Amino acid sequence: MQIAEKEETLIPNILYVTTGWRNVVMTQNICLLIVPEKDISEIVQSLRQNVMKDYQRNINLGNMGTLVTEHTEIGDLCSAAFKIMGNPVCFLNPNFQVCCSEGANSIEADTMKIRQNLKSKSISSGRKILLLEPETAFPYRRMLAPIFHAEGLIGYLYIAELFCSFVSKSDEYYAEKICKLLSTRESMRSRDGIISEKQRFVEELIEGSITDKDLLEQKMKHFGLYVRPSYYVFSVQLEDSFQTKTVVEKLSSLLENPVYEYRGYGVALIGEDDLDIEREEIKSELIEFLKQMNLYAGISNNFSDLQLMPNAYRESIYAVSFRKRLTDKVYLSFYREIAGIHMYHQMEEAGIDVSFFCDPVALKIERYDREHGTKYLNSLVVYICLNCSLQQAADVLFIHKSTLLKHIRVLEERFHINFDNHRVINSLRRTLEIFSYLGKIDVQKLLGNEQ
């Protein structure tokens, strides 16, 4: 960095500070900052300080990169991040539980407050870095940056503006670099052996890292696992880190199989002949516990080859995430039940309007109800879901059988629905699934059997 004098030929890739440019000989790649003459000395001094700070930050970033390649413990990486940012740093897991911190004990002591404060704000941000302004609970600015491994969220980098003021673009740049380094890890937890070998084996199955079938068989024998005709994966989203241990222990007992924590979920691998989760007494007890804890769980399709477990794991968490999106409050979902919903979601992401696949008659009924204040769509939903049983549908809707019969007559005559035609009924069923996905109807609520 230099102060540009008049009639001087400037050298490329050096930042020059000047009060004018008319007599300066310009060439390519010239960095020129024009400032008022009275401020030039102060500005140059400030720039030199910032350049030195940036230089030191890059050295510290390089040191952190070395620590990452050496598989250093998470606490040492947190200390390295603190040196880079110059402000207190926390590494949080996906549930906003503090894994480690450096720079100020107060931000680790406020774990619950941090979680409650950040959760709602991070959901809508996706992969973006959030810069949060001061508020009552936190009288200082904070930065929250998500950390991803492959496509999965493994945690957050949390920085508090306590020691020095944020320079937004610069601090965001270094926060992104730290997150990129941490993205090579599979989780934000310590690698000090606190998880069992068996849990690590299950994680390897989820990640698809065991490709050798002979090695897979050896490990199964080592852990006392026997080949089953088929398996399924159970996953539950762990909402509250402070109750995680209780939830995991209870679910392990109910499922008669160990449930392991993995990237914000509790995950169990279950042999189909070990536990029939669809047996009414088991299913009802499990649903009751999930409802009590306000947790949502998903179950994959059956699979026979353990090397297919990565796909089964994705199915189980899709079942959770998509079911939570729907208006139907169902605490335990099977992927086979929402495979169509998953397809609609993928269509939406591809920019396809899923309402295009709705039965035109159902769309007409939905529009007619909206314009005239009628409830023919509700009658149609319940009637079809109860296999066209007039008495059962009337009981569920709390109306007289003759009243429902009038509704059915309107549906047949005004909207030309042939309830004896299976193709018509199947088309309407698919449309009701789309309506449920779009939030137009709440099927479980209408049927009065929320889980």
Side-chain angles (χ1 to χ4, degrees), residues 197-244:
E197 287 186 9
K198 189 173 180 180
Q199 176 172 349
R200 182 59 201 144
F201 171 60
V202 172
E203 291 186 358
E204 288 174 341
L205 290 174
I206 292 172
E207 292 156 8
S209 57
I210 304 176
T211 56
D212 188 309
K213 289 201 172 185
D214 292 334
L215 177 60
L216 178 59
E217 288 179 8
Q218 289 173 16
K219 289 203 171 195
M220 288 187 69
K221 288 178 182 178
H222 175 71
F223 294 115
L225 299 172
Y226 301 98
V227 175
R228 298 287 186 262
S230 63
Y231 307 86
Y232 57 87
V233 174
F234 171 94
S235 292
V236 59
Q237 192 162 16
L238 301 172
E239 295 286 354
D240 192 338
S241 58
F242 291 93
Q243 297 190 42
T244 294

Side-chain angles (χ1 to χ4, degrees), residues 63-78 80 182 185 189-191:
N63 292 338
M64 185 174 178
T66 302
L67 292 176
V68 169
T69 59
E70 293 174 351
H71 304 292
T72 303
E73 285 301 318
I74 193 76
D76 293 333
L77 294 178
C78 192
L182 293 172
R185 298 176 62 90
R189 68 166 166 252
S190 173
R191 292 177 176 170

Side-chain angles (χ1 to χ4, degrees), residues 29-244:
N29 300 322
I30 297 299
C31 303
L32 197 64
L33 178 64
I34 302 173
V35 300
E37 187 170 358
K38 62 183 179 64
D39 299 326
I40 190 166
S41 297
E42 183 180 341
I43 290 172
V44 168
Q45 183 180 359
S46 176
L47 284 170
R48 283 176 174 154
Q49 288 173 347
N50 285 326
V51 167
M52 286 303 298
K53 181 180 178 181
D54 196 55
Y55 174 72
Q56 189 59 51
R57 280 180 132 179
N58 274 290
I59 290 176
N60 291 332
L61 189 66
N63 292 338
M64 185 174 178
T66 302
L67 292 176
V68 169
T69 59
E70 293 174 351
H71 304 292
T72 303
E73 285 301 318
I74 193 76
D76 293 333
L77 294 178
C78 192
S79 298
F82 169 59
K83 289 180 182 178
I84 295 168
M85 300 308 301
N87 271 310
V89 166
C90 268
F91 290 166
L92 310 175
N93 70 12
N95 290 323
F96 298 96
Q97 184 179 19
V98 175
C99 301
C100 57
S101 67
E102 187 71 29
N105 293 331
S106 60
I107 56 173
E108 182 166 4
D110 288 338
T111 305
M112 175 60 90
K113 196 160 59 171
I114 287 173
R115 180 181 180 277
Q116 291 173 338
N117 184 263
L118 297 179
K119 185 176 180 182
S120 60
K121 295 176 182 176
S122 65
I123 289 172
S124 60
S125 69
R127 291 176 176 263
K128 296 178 183 177
I129 292 179
L130 288 179
L131 183 60
L132 306 171
E133 295 301 321
E135 51 191 88
T136 304
F138 299 90
Y140 46 83
R141 291 194 299 174
R142 294 146 295 138
M143 192 177 291
L144 183 72
I147 305 165
F148 291 89
H149 174 75
E151 290 301 313
L153 176 72
I154 61 170
Y156 296 91
L157 170 65
Y158 174 82
I159 308 157
E161 188 185 40
L162 291 178
F163 298 163
C164 55
S165 298
F166 285 153
V167 179
S168 296
K169 292 298 181 184
S170 177
D171 281 296
E172 286 179 17
Y173 169 81
Y174 284 103
E176 283 181 0
K177 292 293 183 183
I178 292 171
C179 290
K180 190 170 183 179
L181 289 175
L182 293 172
S183 69
T184 60
R185 298 176 62 90
E186 294 171 0
S187 75
M188 295 304 293
R189 68 166 166 252
S190 173
R191 292 177 176 170
D192 57 6
I194 58 172
I195 66 171
S196 67
E197 287 186 9
K198 189 173 180 180
Q199 176 172 349
R200 182 59 201 144
F201 171 60
V202 172
E203 291 186 358
E204 288 174 341
L205 290 174
I206 292 172
E207 292 156 8
S209 57
I210 304 176
T211 56
D212 188 309
K213 289 201 172 185
D214 292 334
L215 177 60
L216 178 59
E217 288 179 8
Q218 289 173 16
K219 289 203 171 195
M220 288 187 69
K221 288 178 182 178
H222 175 71
F223 294 115
L225 299 172
Y226 301 98
V227 175
R228 298 287 186 262
S230 63
Y231 307 86
Y232 57 87
V233 174
F234 171 94
S235 292
V236 59
Q237 192 162 16
L238 301 172
E239 295 286 354
D240 192 338
S241 58
F242 291 93
Q243 297 190 42
T244 294

Side-chain angles (χ1 to χ4, degrees), residues 323-389:
R323 181 58 78 184
K324 286 185 71 175
R325 173 177 175 166
L326 302 181
T327 55
D328 304 355
K329 207 170 183 64
V330 178
Y331 294 95
L332 180 63
S333 303
F334 293 81
Y335 180 76
R336 65 171 184 265
E337 297 171 349
I338 56 92
I341 295 169
H342 183 197
M343 179 182 69
Y344 304 142
H345 179 76
Q346 290 178 315
M347 287 179 178
E348 273 198 329
E349 287 191 331
I352 299 171
D353 182 3
V354 295
S355 62
F356 175 79
F357 298 93
C358 290
D359 189 300
V361 173
L363 291 171
K364 284 182 182 178
I365 296 169
E366 191 264 338
R367 185 169 60 250
Y368 186 91
D369 278 351
R370 193 170 61 248
E371 292 174 353
H372 296 85
T374 52
K375 294 184 178 180
Y376 293 123
L377 184 61
N378 288 356
S379 297
L380 178 66
V381 170
V382 174
Y383 188 61
I384 286 180
C385 288
L386 294 176
N387 299 316
C388 300
S389 170

